[in-house]
């Protein structure tokens, strides 16, 4: 397939470069225990526990992110069901508005609003949280030795299951993702709850409880609703100037719920538009665990100088309300990147993603995806990506729209984040 990048695309990238230079020249006041939305936030997972920022009064930071793609994908299946007739063109631009407020020493609030997304025409709040790293709002220095190691997050927020969500595209915020799409099993949801973190000498432990609901309501359902549990253990250390190693293991379990959203919680929409089934989640796959689920994820991360490896092993078992027995899905992922040039502003790499499992019909299916591409940080706030993606759907039953399905082609993505 040949994809032609139009003159309009080149003009668009040039405009991004000019805007990015303006953003790069503007310095905002720093926040405490905060992941920066620009290039310096790459490979930052949980918010840092150390800070050199002094609190000198309430600090309000207004930020955001904007992303636009040029898509040139083709798709096909075994001929059962009609697929969209795809051409090469621009997708709808996506945009975020972030409000971060330093309320007190070690006390910070975050709120993210999706201004433009694939699924919703109107602006809507994704979620937010209150993060507590010091207890000085009670009394200066209160329990300071304990709080040197403890962080508390409370809110209607993105839960910390696995490490994929730290590298995924979150609507307009696509700067942390080295590729265009998120993983096929896109484990992401926002629920009301709290998480407590312990960090010391590279070791990380986290436990959290949520109400297990994406959409909040006090109206009781026919099911006896139970709290969901999330936990993570890990180690993250800069071994020396050249080598960093991180390894984490996570678990999320929702024992009984009227609806489980771990693989369908992102209402903003997927990044490969209108492929295959054509829904706003096109290109992803939801195993259909709608009643109960237990999922574990293991993530290694190794960075040696400019060479970077990130891995995913995920095992997920659950069922829908209508099912009497559980089913299992497994996901494997591997990313290998090489970042080079001044301040590692350029990178090249690939990602392989494999999903296998049993669907509700009882058939064992397989989905594979390969991404090859790279990116260029024009400035710390502006990133341009180019990738080739190919995805195949294997062993789906005859008559299923995904039977014999595949899509492939070129994606160009431009991101501004500040």
């Amino acid at each position: 397939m040949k994809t032609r990048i139009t003159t309009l695309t080149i003009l668009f990238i040039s405009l991004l470069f000019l805007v990015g230079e303006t953003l790069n020249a503007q310095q905002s006041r720093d926040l405490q225990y905060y992941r920066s939305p620009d290039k310096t936030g790459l490979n930052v997972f949980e918010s840092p526990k150390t800070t050199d920022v002094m609190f000198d009064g309430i600090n309000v930071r207004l930020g955001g992110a904007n992303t636009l793609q040029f898509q040139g994908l083709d798709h096909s299946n075994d001929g059962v069901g009609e697929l969209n007739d795809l051409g090469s063109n621009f997708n709808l631009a996506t945009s975020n508005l972030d409000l971060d407020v330093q309320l007190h020493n070690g006390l910070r609030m975050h709120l993210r609003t999706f201004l433009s997304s694939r699924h919703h025409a109107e602006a809507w709040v994704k979620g937010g949280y209150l993060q507590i790293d010091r207890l000085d709002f009670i009394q200066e220095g209160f329990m300071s030795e304990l709080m040197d190691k403890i962080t508390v997050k409370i809110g209607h927020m993105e839960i910390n299951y696995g490490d994929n969500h730290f590298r995924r595209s979150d609507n307009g915020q696509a700067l942390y993702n080295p590729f265009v799409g998120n993983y096929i099993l896109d484990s992401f949801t926002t629920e009301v709850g709290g998480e407590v973190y312990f960090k010391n000498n590279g070791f990380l432990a986290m436990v959290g409880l949520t109400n297990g609901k994406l959409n909040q309501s006090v109206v009781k359902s026919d099911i006896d609703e139970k709290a969901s549990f999330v936990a993570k253990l890990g180690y993250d250390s800069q071994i020396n100037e050249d080598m960093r190693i991180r390894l984490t293991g996570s678990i999320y379990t929702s024992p009984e719920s009227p609806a489980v959203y771990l693989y369908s919680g992102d209402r903003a929409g997927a990044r490969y538009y209108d492929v295959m089934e054509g829904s706003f989640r096109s290109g992803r796959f939801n195993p259909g665990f709608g009643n109960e689920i237990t999922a574990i994820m293991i993530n290694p991360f190794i960075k040696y100088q400019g060479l970077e490896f990130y891995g995913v092993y995920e095992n997920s078992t659950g069922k829908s309300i209508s099912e009497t027995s559980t089913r299992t899905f497994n996901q494997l992922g591997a990313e290998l990147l090489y970042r080079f040039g001044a301040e590692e502003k350029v990178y090249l790499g690939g990602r392989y993603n494999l999903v296998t499992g049993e669907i509700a019909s009882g058939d064992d299916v397989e989905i594979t995806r390969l991404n090859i591409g790279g990116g260029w940080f024009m400035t710390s706030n502006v990133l341009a990506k180019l990738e080739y993606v190919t995805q195949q759907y294997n062993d789906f039953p005859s008559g299923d729209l995904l039977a014999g399905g595949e899509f492939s082609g070129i994606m160009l993505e431009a991101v501004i984040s500040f």
Side-chain angles (χ1 to χ4, degrees):
M1 184 197 72
K2 295 182 179 179
T3 301
R4 185 172 56 194
I5 300 176
T6 65
T7 303
L8 183 58
T9 309
I10 304 301
L11 292 175
F12 173 73
I13 296 297
S14 301
L15 178 61
L16 286 180
F17 180 80
L18 294 174
V19 173
E21 287 291 349
T22 303
L23 293 174
N24 206 45
Q26 298 177 358
Q27 299 295 325
S28 62
R29 296 168 60 197
D30 291 329
L31 301 175
Q32 296 178 325
Y33 313 104
Y34 175 72
R35 182 187 189 184
S36 176
D38 62 12
K39 182 177 177 291
T40 59
L42 287 182
N43 297 328
V44 175
F45 295 86
E46 291 80 13
S47 59
K49 190 53 189 171
T50 59
T51 183
D52 57 2
V53 178
M54 300 296 294
F55 177 73
D56 60 355
I58 291 180
N59 178 13
V60 179
R61 187 187 193 281
L62 191 65
N66 305 282
T67 296
L68 180 61
Q69 298 119 358
F70 181 87
Q71 175 173 308
L73 301 180
D74 283 339
H75 60 175
S76 62
N77 64 2
D78 281 346
V80 178
E82 185 175 351
L83 300 179
N84 290 317
D85 186 12
L86 300 181
S88 298
N89 216 321
F90 289 96
N91 290 323
L92 174 72
T94 55
S95 182
N96 295 359
L97 176 66
D98 290 340
L99 181 64
D100 292 279
V101 184
Q102 193 75 50
L103 299 165
H104 202 280
N105 186 34
L107 186 67
R108 180 169 64 81
M109 184 206 80
H110 168 76
L111 178 69
R112 173 163 289 175
T113 299
F114 291 162
L115 299 179
S116 170
S117 63
R118 179 179 175 187
H119 186 44
H120 285 268
E122 73 283 359
W124 51 286
V125 173
K126 170 209 169 181
Y129 56 83
L130 183 71
Q131 179 172 311
I132 305 170
D133 285 282
R134 316 299 300 179
L135 296 176
D136 288 16
F137 59 90
I138 298 176
Q139 181 181 341
E140 186 174 353
F142 185 71
M143 300 181 68
S144 60
E145 291 186 5
L146 177 64
M147 296 308 294
D148 285 340
K149 302 177 178 66
I150 298 294
T151 297
V152 179
K153 290 177 66 175
I154 304 169
H156 187 177
M157 60 189 183
E158 178 180 322
I159 63 170
N160 187 10
Y161 163 69
D163 286 349
N164 286 357
H165 69 110
F166 293 115
R167 296 170 69 90
R168 72 188 295 279
S169 296
D170 189 25
N171 197 48
Q173 174 50 287
L175 186 137
Y176 303 140
N177 188 348
F179 301 98
V180 174
N182 297 322
Y183 280 87
I184 297 170
L185 291 187
D186 188 19
S187 50
F188 168 92
T189 185
T190 54
E191 299 174 1
V192 173
E195 297 172 343
V196 180
Y197 296 78
F198 174 83
K199 302 175 187 176
N200 187 35
N201 294 327
F203 290 96
L204 163 71
M206 183 277 295
V207 293
L209 285 175
T210 80
N211 69 346
K213 287 185 175 183
L214 178 76
N215 300 310
Q216 303 305 313
S217 173
V218 297
V219 178
K220 289 186 176 181
S221 68
D222 296 332
I223 293 178
D224 183 19
E225 300 176 17
K226 299 176 182 177
S228 296
F229 173 76
V230 59
K232 177 180 285 189
L233 286 174
Y235 179 75
D236 190 341
S237 178
Q238 188 72 43
I239 305 299
N240 53 46
E241 185 178 352
D242 294 328
M243 174 74 78
R244 177 186 174 189
I245 295 177
R246 175 182 168 97
L247 178 65
T248 63
S250 303
I251 184 170
Y252 173 87
T253 179
S254 183
E256 194 167 8
S257 173
V260 174
Y261 287 95
L262 183 62
Y263 299 111
S264 60
D266 180 18
R267 291 87 70 209
R271 309 320 295 256
Y272 300 122
Y273 284 52
D274 298 311
V275 296
M276 303 311 298
E277 77 278 9
S279 74
F280 74 95
R281 296 190 178 103
S282 56
R284 300 178 188 165
F285 187 78
N286 180 7
F289 300 151
N291 181 219
E292 64 179 65
I293 187 173
T294 296
I296 63 169
M297 185 185 295
I298 298 173
N299 300 111
F301 173 75
I302 301 172
K303 183 172 172 59
Y304 178 75
Q305 296 181 356
L307 191 64
E308 183 177 305
F309 171 80
Y310 176 76
V312 180
Y313 168 75
E314 186 172 17
N315 174 274
S316 184
T317 300
K319 66 177 184 177
S320 67
I321 294 177
S322 61
E323 291 176 302
T324 58
S325 58
T326 59
R327 298 178 284 111
T328 298
F329 266 81
N330 292 298
Q331 175 166 238
L332 295 176
E335 298 177 14
L336 188 63
L337 303 175
Y338 182 62
R339 301 183 187 271
F340 58 95
E343 301 177 348
E344 297 185 352
K345 289 185 176 181
V346 180
Y347 66 86
L348 298 172
R351 174 200 285 167
Y352 178 74
N353 191 187
L354 167 68
V355 169
T356 59
E358 180 187 353
I359 59 176
S361 65
D363 294 275
D364 292 322
V365 301
E366 177 186 273
I367 307 173
T368 62
R369 181 192 293 167
L370 177 66
N371 303 80
I372 300 174
W376 170 37
F377 282 91
M378 300 176 180
T379 76
S380 292
N381 302 96
V382 181
L383 169 64
K385 310 176 196 176
L386 177 65
E387 75 166 31
Y388 171 79
V389 58
T390 178
Q391 181 162 318
Q392 289 86 34
Y393 299 80
N394 301 315
D395 303 321
F396 280 82
S398 176
D400 193 304
L401 184 67
L402 299 179
E406 64 176 315
F407 67 86
S408 62
I410 297 294
M411 296 289 298
L412 175 67
E413 184 172 73
V415 187
I416 300 172
S417 179
F418 57 93

